[in-house]
Amino acid sequence: MRYLTKSRFSLALECPTKLDYNDDPSFANADLDNEFLKALAEGGHQVGALAKCLVPDGVEVDVSGHDAQVAQTDQLLQQETVTLFEAAIRVGRLFIRADLLHKHGNVIELYEVKAKGFDSTDPGAQILGKKGGVLSGMKPYLYDVAFQRYVLKKAFPDATIRAHLVMPNKTAVCPEAQLAQRLRIRKDGRRVRIDVDPTLQDGELARQVLCMVAVDPYLDRLEQEPLEMGAWVTTFGEGIEELARRL
């Protein structure tokens, strides 16, 4: 079964027709061969690995296959308090892997990690324009989180869902000149893995250079706007459900 994931949703925001070709190798995206874009993607992996150091006792959902990932996630979420990396949540044809998911009682905190630098001294100015609308440069990041929040709300209708972005803090001074060397990129087949220096595991450095931004008010605002996908304009929820039906 094909699922509407956050990456497919992001692709549909560019053009819904792209979903028809997304899994066809004959229509492979030439950008994937661009070395610069590869380097950017790997940098994102490094930021993601550093973000995990914020929660040293977090548990990775590390099994293969959608069914096994969902089952492992469901089992771990039976705990009163737990933090999961790559939690797998499925509702019908909607499927997400959350970077960090923290559950405490009836509250679920979603943390989406991005490599984009962010000025933590004035979050609103980084996200909203002078007229109050969401800046176009931030929309892809917020739509990514909004999609995940939508799935979580459907999966856990009685829970309180709170959403956050985790990004490098542009106003922070990193005390480590060679931080990237302590987050070494390793290729494992077609996957990218990061070997984290054990001295980073306590999260002290991660807390210095990363910022967490609560984004629910911005997501609420964004979801009230018309959802534009190419020439197709709809509402946020209806757009997601229609895309899932088309798969």
Side-chain angles (χ1 to χ4, degrees), residues 2 8 22 24-25 34 45 47 58 62 82-83 104 113 116 146 181 186 190 204 227 235:
R2 294 182 72 204
R8 285 187 174 132
N22 181 234
D24 187 340
N34 185 300
H45 283 289
V47 175
D62 55 2
V82 66
T83 299
H104 46 105
V113 183
K116 178 181 176 64
Q181 301 303 315
R186 176 169 59 86
R190 298 191 60 174
E204 181 178 351
L227 182 65
T235 63

Side-chain angles (χ1 to χ4, degrees), residues 39-244:
L40 286 180
E42 290 171 348
H45 283 289
Q46 288 176 305
V47 175
L50 184 61
K52 291 178 181 179
C53 296
L54 293 168
V55 193
D57 60 348
V59 181
E60 184 105 22
V61 175
D62 55 2
V63 294
S64 299
H66 293 96
D67 291 343
Q69 291 161 357
V70 170
Q72 185 181 15
T73 299
D74 289 345
Q75 181 182 26
L76 291 166
L77 287 177
Q78 297 304 309
Q79 301 177 53
E80 179 70 11
T81 301
V82 66
T83 299
L84 304 181
F85 305 139
E86 301 297 333
I89 309 296
R90 178 172 59 191
V91 181
R93 285 184 173 269
L94 306 177
F95 180 85
I96 63 171
R97 298 292 301 276
D99 289 340
L100 281 79
L101 200 69
H102 179 65
K103 178 209 170 194
H104 46 105
N106 198 44
V107 177
I108 297 176
E109 307 268 2
L110 168 69
Y111 297 88
E112 172 68 13
V113 183
K114 297 297 184 186
K116 178 181 176 64
F118 192 85
D119 183 348
S120 62
T121 61
D122 192 359
Q126 303 287 297
I127 297 175
L128 300 178
K130 293 181 179 180
K131 296 183 178 180
V134 177
L135 294 170
S136 59
M138 284 299 298
K139 278 190 175 182
Y141 303 100
L142 292 176
Y143 270 130
D144 193 323
V145 186
F147 175 76
Q148 294 179 74
R149 189 180 72 160
Y150 180 86
V151 176
L152 285 170
K153 285 184 174 182
K154 289 181 72 71
F156 307 100
D158 298 326
T160 298
I161 310 296
R162 297 173 183 161
H164 313 262
L165 278 170
V166 181
M167 296 171 286
N169 189 349
K170 292 196 297 186
T171 64
V173 177
C174 181
E176 295 285 341
Q178 300 295 326
L179 178 57
Q181 301 303 315
R182 300 172 67 188
L183 297 161
R184 291 190 175 276
I185 299 168
R186 176 169 59 86
K187 296 295 179 68
D188 183 6
R190 298 191 60 174
R191 300 186 63 182
V192 174
R193 298 189 182 277
I194 305 298
D195 290 331
V196 180
D197 189 317
T199 61
L200 296 175
Q201 296 288 359
D202 61 4
E204 181 178 351
L205 184 59
R207 287 187 289 273
Q208 293 182 53
V209 300
L210 299 177
C211 60
M212 296 185 184
V213 183
V215 293
D216 285 300
Y218 308 115
L219 301 187
D220 294 340
R221 185 187 298 253
L222 189 64
E223 290 178 13
Q224 294 304 312
E225 297 180 4
L227 182 65
E228 299 181 6
M229 295 183 283
W232 179 30
V233 181
T234 183
T235 63
F236 182 76
E238 290 176 354
I240 289 176
E241 296 300 335
E242 178 58 27
L243 289 172

